[in-house]
Amino acid sequence: MLRHEKTVVWAILTGLLGIAGLLGTLTWFLWRESVASEDAYSGKLAAILGDRVEHIMVDLRDMLVQFDALDLPRCSDSHLDALRIAAMSRPYVRSIGYWQANQRLCAVGFLPAALKPKRADRVYDSGVVAWWPSEQTKVAGIELFLMRFGDHDVAVDPRQLLDLGPMQDRQAELWLEDLPLTAAPWNASLPAPKSLPVGVSLNKDKQRIYARYSLHGVLPVEIVTSEPLENFWRRHATTLAAGAIFGLIVAAAWTEAIRRFSRHQFSAATALRRAVRAGDISVVYEPMVDLRTLRCVGAEALARWQREDGTWVSPNVFIPLAEESGVMHEVTLAVVRTAVADLARIFAEAGAMTLSINLAGGDLGDERLGDQLRESIAAAGLPPEAVKLEITERSLIDSDADRARIRELRLRGHQIAIDDFGTGYSSLAYLQSFELDVIKIDKAFVDTIGKSVATSQVIEHIIDMARSLGLRTAAEGVETAAQVSWLGDHGVLLGQGHLFSKPLLIDDFIRFFRSNRHNRET
Amino acid sequence: MPPAKPRKPVVKPAPVPAASAPQVPVVAAYEADKVRSETKLALARDQRNSMISADVGYYLDVLSGRLKQGADPGITVVRTNEGVRLDFNESLSLTQDEAQSAVDDCRRLMPLTKVLREYEQTLITLRATVQHLDSASRPAVERRIREYASCLTNAGISNKRVLILVAEDAATDPAAMHVQMRIEPVVRGSG
């Protein structure tokens, strides 16, 4: 898989994973927030209901204890009045009775007959006996809660113990001492507390949300509440909507970030940067020929970029791109490293040979260039004069720093050539201010040789001007023997162009060099 | 757990308090079931002393509640399938010493006797359990358990409702002699 394809897959996967992760995190966060809110809400409700029931239970016990100690003739009017007042002040009380053993002697309330369930659910050490609501305590369809202490008992309608207010969809069941005491609505069917985790839980199958709370005051009370899941969502709609909007914004931001990243990754500049870092910039060599002897005396190193998919990128495209994206220096350094090492392979055999390396605008100011040149040349065991540095006319800046830099390079032994001469607008005086060795005449002027065009005379002026400045000349883009002849006649020493050879890989160049030498010598 | 209170061995027969009611019979262990059945049958003949079977559960639950209400902390009240059992643990002893007189014991039993007088549709068996009984120790034990029975009958509980059973039990702590009270319902029509 190519790097480009890998990047695409990576970007897509990262995008999907990122969005999924973000949305997942957001959903989890919202769920936790909602559950925490629900927990607090249900917990408060359970605490209120539990406290109320516990208070009622304790109150009923205390009431019976007081009746037991009451100093009134049993079943007298005053005794019955006391029972009546107690019943009236407690809306959940259905009856209060006075008993002797298993005979109810008198009572107030709504129970027409004495209720004698077969088995008590609790007989406390205090003497309180209690019967939880069940079939054995059912009267007129209502399962009552009974409590007896001493000779008095009380019957309670448990439906009155839980009041959920206007929450019609909500169900609740209250368990007292591990036994179900009451539910709202009365026929609600809720799971036992022990089957649920403490706090809020979700039953996806039933689409209901459950909450279980335990209170351990005077009596152990457990409350289970339940309601449709949609109520839960509705209650937290604002949070969820805000979360959804936030999620969309984050997802959009993430998508945009991925898009930008992908764009950046897919851009030619990034690919070039990556190629420079990976050492994928290759070098080809265009032979330079002595126009008098036609012997190959050197080569111009030219950078080439072959993309991963095998396509070559034209220097006209990638050199400006490298300059724009700020990697031109790296390209130059890469060419220096490669070309100097390659030259070493043929230099000894050639006797004397010059390698021309193009410098881009700004390379002169890069401290690394001098270091790289020194290191590479030393490693290759070459003399400094074997490396000629070519600077385009247009990249020459009228600055003391550039002048000093050129001077320093020349002092080291390097020749300095002005490349593509004639395409800029350098004046004689301007050129004079730099210490140069060679002027390379641009192909545009070489092409006019032997032709009757308006610029035909320019090349002669360039040659004259170079001569007047004491500079040698070289011609670029030589394609015909007539051009060679004309250039030689006018004192141009070196030439390069397709007439001699197109730019070659190092192995091909070495073959060309040997062949050229062999032909010239024979 | 606190260490068990050391007990003295039986040193002398306990004085029998003056009984105003006829003596409660002491039943031999081997005939205990038979005598209990016959006694309940006899009691069941009188509607005042018996209940219908539908009331048994309620009656015993309420009775156990009342007994728990009145029992002092040293007495364990247990509702069993057959009735209610009271374990007196260290509250009542079969030994006689200066610190524990029969009068004191009767006073301690008073809240319970009051309840048992009200819940009269029951048979009460006072059971003394010792590890080893012989001709020397048996009279003292029987005398002591009779004192407790007298506490009940003197408080108004019919002696027809009370039985005494003195039994040997090898598992009993040699230094301890347990007193239990077993209360069974008298059900009309059963025998």
Side-chain angles (χ1 to χ4, degrees):
Chain A
M1 190 184 280
L2 295 175
R3 187 193 295 270
H4 176 84
E5 291 169 334
K6 281 183 186 170
T7 307
V8 170
V9 171
W10 184 85
I12 291 171
L13 280 178
T14 308
L16 291 175
L17 283 174
I19 289 173
L22 280 170
L23 292 179
T25 306
L26 188 66
T27 305
W28 177 84
F29 176 75
L30 283 175
W31 172 251
R32 295 303 310 160
E33 279 297 296
S34 302
V35 166
S37 164
E38 189 69 17
D39 208 29
Y41 172 78
S42 300
K44 193 174 172 185
L45 176 71
I48 292 169
L49 296 175
D51 285 347
R52 175 179 147 80
V53 169
E54 188 180 82
H55 173 79
I56 288 171
M57 291 296 148
V58 172
D59 174 61
L60 289 172
R61 183 201 62 191
D62 292 348
M63 179 189 78
L64 293 176
V65 170
Q66 283 171 12
F67 287 151
D68 202 51
L70 207 59
D71 188 20
L72 289 171
R74 300 304 193 232
C75 294
S76 64
D77 288 344
S78 53
H79 177 232
L80 290 173
D81 279 347
L83 301 188
R84 210 169 282 123
I85 289 166
M88 290 293 284
S89 63
R90 294 170 176 86
Y92 37 84
V93 168
R94 289 291 170 263
S95 170
I96 301 174
Y98 169 72
W99 299 67
Q100 264 190 357
N102 60 338
Q103 299 300 314
R104 190 173 77 165
L105 300 187
C106 56
V108 298
F110 306 107
L111 287 189
L115 196 55
K116 294 187 270 189
K118 285 189 188 317
R119 189 79 196 208
D121 292 298
R122 293 285 185 274
V123 180
Y124 296 97
D125 287 343
S126 64
V128 172
V129 187
W131 294 262
W132 262 247
S134 67
E135 276 296 318
Q136 65 172 351
T137 65
K138 190 185 263 186
V139 176
I142 300 166
E143 294 176 355
L144 298 171
F145 173 79
L146 302 181
M147 186 189 283
R148 177 164 169 171
F149 180 78
D151 290 331
H152 290 83
D153 78 344
V154 60
V156 170
D157 182 353
R159 297 174 308 171
Q160 308 300 316
L161 299 178
L162 277 189
D163 182 9
L164 295 180
M167 293 175 289
Q168 291 143 354
D169 290 337
R170 187 181 278 262
Q171 297 179 344
E173 186 163 26
L174 187 142
W175 289 57
L176 187 67
E177 295 199 354
D178 295 332
L179 293 170
L181 179 66
T182 179
W186 180 241
N187 57 359
S189 175
L190 290 165
K194 285 198 166 73
S195 68
L196 294 171
V198 174
V200 174
S201 59
L202 172 70
N203 187 319
K204 286 181 184 168
D205 295 338
K206 294 184 178 175
Q207 283 291 295
R208 295 190 76 84
I209 190 153
Y210 293 98
R212 173 194 167 192
Y213 292 93
S214 304
L215 306 169
H216 298 284
V218 178
L219 298 166
V221 175
E222 294 219 80
I223 298 211
V224 173
T225 64
S226 167
E227 64 177 329
L229 191 56
E230 62 186 63
N231 283 19
F232 172 82
W233 294 127
R234 201 180 304 130
R235 198 156 43 246
H236 301 289
T238 311
T239 310
L240 295 171
I245 291 168
F246 178 71
L248 286 175
I249 291 170
V250 170
W254 182 265
T255 307
E256 176 61 15
I258 292 294
R259 192 187 69 78
R260 287 191 180 191
F261 176 76
S262 302
R263 197 173 161 187
H264 176 261
Q265 286 294 307
F266 299 153
S267 71
T270 303
L272 177 58
R273 255 185 233 109
R274 200 180 292 126
V276 171
R277 274 202 302 273
D280 289 343
I281 297 298
S282 54
V283 180
V284 293
Y285 300 90
E286 185 172 12
M288 298 193 74
V289 172
D290 184 325
L291 292 177
R292 292 166 302 178
T293 63
L294 297 182
R295 284 163 61 96
C296 179
V297 294
E300 179 179 357
L302 300 167
R304 289 292 182 269
W305 176 27
Q306 187 176 27
R307 301 194 70 153
E308 275 196 326
D309 57 5
T311 58
W312 287 94
V313 182
S314 165
N316 295 333
V317 174
F318 88 82
I319 295 297
L321 182 66
E323 287 176 342
E324 281 172 22
S325 54
V327 293
M328 195 60 229
H329 295 325
E330 278 69 25
V331 172
T332 302
L333 295 176
V335 170
V336 167
R337 277 193 299 273
T338 306
V340 171
D342 284 347
L343 178 63
R345 292 175 58 188
I346 193 69
F347 189 82
E349 186 180 331
M353 177 176 268
T354 306
L355 175 71
S356 298
I357 295 174
N358 292 293
L359 301 185
D363 278 344
L364 278 177
D366 184 7
E367 291 292 333
R368 293 175 297 170
L369 176 66
D371 296 339
Q372 185 67 65
L373 274 169
R374 191 182 299 113
E375 286 172 18
S376 297
I377 286 170
L382 296 175
E385 52 270 24
V387 177
K388 186 195 294 177
L389 302 173
E390 298 187 1
I391 307 164
T392 59
E393 185 189 358
R394 274 179 266 188
S395 65
L396 270 182
I397 298 169
D398 187 11
S399 73
D400 292 339
D402 275 3
R403 285 189 187 86
R405 193 81 181 121
I406 288 171
R407 187 180 303 118
E408 183 191 330
L409 291 169
R410 287 189 80 245
L411 286 172
R412 282 196 200 178
H414 300 300
Q415 297 177 64
I416 305 295
I418 294 294
D419 201 8
D420 301 337
F421 189 80
T423 55
Y425 303 95
S426 305
S427 67
L428 185 63
Y430 181 61
L431 280 181
Q432 266 187 316
S433 67
F434 293 95
E435 294 178 24
L436 304 171
D437 297 293
V438 180
I439 281 179
K440 289 184 78 175
I441 303 164
D442 191 75
K443 181 177 184 295
F445 301 108
V446 175
D447 287 345
T448 65
I449 293 171
K451 292 178 184 172
S452 217
V453 293
T455 54
S456 298
Q457 303 300 312
V458 174
I459 189 169
E460 290 184 42
H461 295 305
I462 292 172
I463 294 167
D464 290 343
M465 184 182 74
R467 191 176 294 127
S468 68
L469 290 172
L471 303 176
R472 294 190 302 280
T473 48
E476 294 177 307
V478 178
E479 292 178 347
T480 65
Q483 288 170 345
V484 173
S485 175
W486 189 94
L487 289 166
D489 292 346
H490 286 77
V492 176
L493 296 176
L494 301 170
Q496 63 188 95
H498 285 188
L499 177 65
F500 309 113
S501 173
K502 62 179 184 178
L504 300 168
L505 293 170
I506 182 62
D507 291 336
D508 295 332
F509 172 73
I510 291 171
R511 272 195 291 276
F512 169 84
F513 177 81
R514 286 172 180 161
S515 169
N516 172 270
R517 283 293 168 95
H518 177 74
N519 292 339
R520 291 304 109 196
E521 284 166 7
T522 57
Chain B
M1 219 165 87
K5 188 176 168 184
R7 288 180 175 279
K8 292 177 184 172
V10 178
V11 289
K12 59 178 181 180
V16 180
S20 59
Q23 268 203 340
V24 173
V26 176
V27 181
Y30 71 91
E31 60 176 1
D33 290 343
K34 179 169 170 266
V35 173
R36 276 172 41 239
S37 295
E38 287 171 355
T39 308
K40 284 201 280 185
L41 194 61
L43 289 168
R45 290 194 192 102
D46 184 347
Q47 287 205 355
R48 205 184 55 173
N49 293 333
S50 61
M51 68 187 90
I52 58 171
S53 60
D55 280 2
V56 171
Y58 180 81
Y59 195 95
L60 292 176
D61 285 337
V62 173
L63 171 60
S64 64
R66 289 300 311 275
L67 291 171
K68 284 186 175 189
Q69 184 185 342
D72 70 40
I75 301 171
T76 307
V77 181
V78 182
R79 165 76 158 91
T80 65
N81 285 333
E82 293 77 27
V84 180
R85 188 182 77 235
L86 281 78
D87 290 314
F88 289 92
N89 306 315
E90 294 179 0
S91 293
L92 290 185
S93 167
L94 291 173
T95 61
Q96 178 63 35
D97 57 29
E98 292 172 2
Q100 191 170 358
S101 71
V103 176
D104 289 340
D105 288 341
C106 282
R107 193 177 296 123
R108 193 170 294 116
L109 287 174
M110 193 177 292
L112 302 178
T113 55
K114 190 179 163 193
V115 173
L116 292 171
R117 197 173 59 207
E118 181 183 334
Y119 288 73
E120 60 189 356
Q121 295 157 353
T122 51
L123 172 67
I124 303 161
T125 305
L126 271 169
R127 180 187 171 99
T129 309
V130 294
Q131 190 191 44
H132 180 66
L133 270 178
D134 55 25
S135 54
S137 60
R138 178 177 280 277
V141 172
E142 286 187 358
R143 199 173 300 118
R144 187 68 175 146
I145 198 78
R146 275 207 175 92
E147 285 176 14
Y148 296 138
S150 298
C151 292
L152 304 182
T153 53
N154 288 342
I157 295 171
S158 167
N159 63 344
K160 294 175 186 169
R161 292 176 54 209
V162 183
L163 294 176
I164 291 173
L165 174 65
V166 176
E168 266 187 337
D169 185 349
T172 306
D173 182 345
M177 290 172 258
H178 292 164
V179 179
Q180 274 187 350
M181 189 186 285
R182 294 184 178 183
I183 302 159
E184 297 167 85
V186 177
V187 184
R188 215 168 293 162
S190 70

